[in-house]
């Protein structure tokens, strides 16, 4: 039977005999080889997608949340709180429901994709919308956790990063080695920090001989790490990475510099091109932020910066159904056809 992530990697995580494991059987997502025609194929570069949309709440956030909520339960906390661009809220709400705890989520009003708000509400979270951006929400929820008896479960909670590092363990198990490159979107930068921690632990204990070069991609309108200064009014259709003041900035910089990697920006147009390609060309429906990873790798391929024969892993961070608004804007539902065979055949393009 499938095991909770915290059981499977118990010896590599801060899980003790007294830790109640709060799990929805997260992790163990498929590492799908991209199959469609691409520049990668021409150079015999193999690209694999770690499809994190198949986690219980539809994003990689569940890896960190199982750890953070289990520790909150161990410490007898009655409530967890998070600021969120959406997926952290949905995950916190689900794991809190599982643990019989309260969840409080602070969201930037008007900037969270519809599917994520619905999830959080249905799981029973108390939602507070603030007129501000994600960075304001994070500041407020941090203060809330200092003044009131609630456990903060944003990725500034170190247990979140611990749980998220397991993605690297799974990739190495599947490939039998570390990839040459690992690309992912960067928002608050907890995940790139966690990936690098995971690979570095395997390298330190001799499980792997190599670590990948980490390629982090921010949206051009929300690229503080690329620019080297906070962005006051971040803008992008990729709402999950619409963050101007990443909490794990330092961790992201370390991952980039120690791995010989890069953190770069991709435009919303490039993100949408990759979004459509993944859905239509590969059968992988992801939310826009996730597609930033492929958009960035395409840039690297075009520039000839990825060596022949390399293995590249993309983290596809969240499921496309999370953000139905983008899908509806991007594709047009045709007018209804008359209910007769000729009209239906014509409308079907036959
Ligand atoms: C949270 C999230 C990100 C960004 O991850 P960070 O750890 O904040 O850098 C990217 N994509 C999706 C779908 C997310 O939910």
């Amino acid at each position: 039977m499938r095991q909770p992530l915290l059981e499977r990697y118990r010896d590599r995580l801060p899980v003790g005999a007294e830790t109640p494991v709060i799990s929805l059987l997260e992790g163990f997502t498929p590492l799908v080889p991209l199959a469609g025609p691409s520049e990668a194929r021409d150079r015999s570069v193999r690209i694999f997608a770690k499809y994190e949309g198949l986690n219980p709440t539809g994003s990689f956030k569940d890896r960190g949340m199982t750890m953070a909520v289990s520790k909150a339960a161990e410490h007898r906390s009655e409530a967890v709180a998070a600021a969120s661009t959406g997926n952290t809220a949905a995950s916190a709400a689900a794991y809190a429901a599982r643990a019989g705890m309260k969840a409080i989520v602070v969201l930037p009003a008007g900037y969270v994709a519809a599917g994520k708000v619905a999830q959080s509400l249905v799981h029973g979270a108390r939602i507070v919308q603030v007129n501000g951006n994600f960075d304001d929400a994070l500041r407020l929820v941090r203060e809330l956790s200092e003044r009131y008896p609630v456990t903060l479960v944003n990725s500034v909670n170190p247990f979140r990063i611990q749980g998220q590092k397991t993605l690297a363990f799974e990739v190495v198990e599947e490939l039998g080695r570390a990839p040459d490159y690992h690309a992912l979107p960067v928002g608050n930068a907890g995940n790139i920090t966690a990936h690098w921690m995971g690979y570095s632990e395997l390298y330190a204990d001799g499980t792997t001989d190599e670590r990948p070069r980490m390629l982090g991609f921010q949206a051009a309108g929300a690229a503080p790490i690329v620019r080297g200064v906070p962005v006051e009014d971040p803008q992008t259709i990729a709402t999950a990475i619409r963050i101007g003041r990443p909490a794990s900035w330092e961790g992201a910089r370390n991952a980039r510099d120690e791995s010989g990697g890069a953190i770069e920006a991709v435009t919303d147009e490039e993100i949408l091109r990759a979004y459509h390609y993944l859905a239509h060309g590969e059968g992988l429906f992801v939310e826009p932020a996730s597609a930033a990873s492929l958009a960035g790798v395409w840039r690297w391929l075009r520039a000839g910066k990825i060596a022949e024969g390399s293995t590249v892993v993309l983290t596809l961070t969240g499921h496309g159904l999370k953000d139905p608004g983008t899908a509806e804007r991007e594709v047009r539902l045709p007018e209804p056809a008359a209910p007769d065979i000729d009209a239906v055949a014509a409308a079907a393009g036959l």
Side-chain angles (χ1 to χ4, degrees):
M1 213 166 92
R2 192 171 160 134
Q3 276 184 306
L5 202 63
L6 301 197
E7 298 293 359
R8 179 81 168 79
Y9 295 115
R10 200 176 184 96
D11 56 344
R12 294 185 182 276
L13 291 169
V15 183
E18 65 295 347
T19 313
V21 172
I22 310 297
S23 174
L24 293 165
L25 302 182
E26 52 292 313
F28 308 102
T29 54
L31 189 65
V32 185
L34 295 197
S38 76
E39 267 166 271
R41 172 107 9 124
D42 301 342
R43 296 157 173 274
S44 61
V45 169
R46 294 189 307 158
I47 304 182
F48 294 87
K50 186 73 169 152
Y51 193 30
E52 289 287 286
L54 295 190
N55 274 294
T57 77
S59 85
F60 74 84
K61 297 297 198 297
D62 295 344
R63 293 178 184 274
M65 207 55 75
T66 181
M67 188 74 247
V69 173
S70 295
K71 292 309 263 190
E74 179 181 332
H75 299 132
R76 307 250 184 281
S77 184
E78 286 174 14
V80 295
S84 181
T85 57
N87 284 334
T88 296
S91 186
Y95 282 83
R98 187 80 182 175
M101 284 180 198
K102 263 189 283 199
I104 299 163
V105 297
V106 182
L107 307 175
Y111 293 111
V112 175
K116 306 176 187 179
V117 181
Q119 263 184 309
S120 306
L121 282 169
V122 174
H123 284 305
R126 184 70 172 256
I127 293 192
V128 182
Q129 299 205 70
V130 295
N131 288 316
N133 58 31
F134 170 81
D135 306 291
D136 298 315
L138 182 57
R139 175 174 53 77
L140 288 162
V141 83
R142 274 175 138 156
E143 214 173 307
L144 210 61
S145 72
E146 283 158 17
R147 296 203 196 174
Y148 298 89
V150 297
T151 303
L152 184 65
V153 293
N154 276 100
S155 58
V156 292
N157 176 325
F159 296 123
R160 281 274 311 279
I161 306 283
Q162 286 290 321
Q164 286 172 207
K165 76 185 180 187
T166 58
L167 189 146
F169 300 165
E170 291 176 18
V171 169
V172 169
E173 280 176 23
E174 292 251 354
L175 296 177
R177 51 172 286 240
D180 299 301
Y181 297 86
H182 193 131
L184 75 166
V186 173
N188 218 17
N191 211 23
I192 191 170
T193 303
H195 279 55
W196 185 239
M197 182 186 283
Y199 283 121
S200 296
E201 288 183 7
L202 297 182
Y203 180 70
D205 72 15
T207 305
T208 55
D209 300 334
E210 305 286 345
R211 291 181 289 182
R213 292 172 73 180
M214 298 303 303
L215 305 180
F217 296 101
Q218 300 199 290
I225 301 175
V226 178
R227 295 207 212 157
V229 288
V231 173
E232 290 313 325
D233 184 23
Q235 296 295 342
T236 169
I237 47 118
T239 52
I241 53 173
R242 188 175 175 204
I243 291 173
R245 211 176 274 276
S248 299
W249 195 314
E250 182 95 18
R253 219 167 23 208
N254 284 345
R256 177 193 66 194
D257 298 343
E258 286 177 20
S259 75
I263 296 180
E264 294 180 355
V266 288
T267 65
D268 280 4
E269 203 180 11
E270 290 175 289
I271 289 173
L272 286 172
R273 213 177 302 135
Y275 169 88
H276 285 293
Y277 172 75
L278 284 166
H280 191 178
E282 299 283 349
L284 296 168
F285 190 24
V286 300
E287 64 173 285
S290 308
S293 57
L294 181 60
V297 165
W298 277 346
R299 274 202 177 187
W300 274 58
L301 283 166
R302 278 199 306 273
K305 292 197 286 186
I306 292 187
E308 293 256 337
S310 296
T311 297
V312 180
V313 171
L314 313 172
T315 302
L316 299 183
T317 46
H319 202 286
L321 290 173
K322 291 271 195 175
D323 186 356
T326 294
E328 281 161 18
R329 275 192 305 277
E330 286 296 307
V331 290
R332 201 173 48 85
L333 190 64
E335 292 303 314
D340 69 69
I341 185 67
D342 294 334
V344 171
L350 296 171

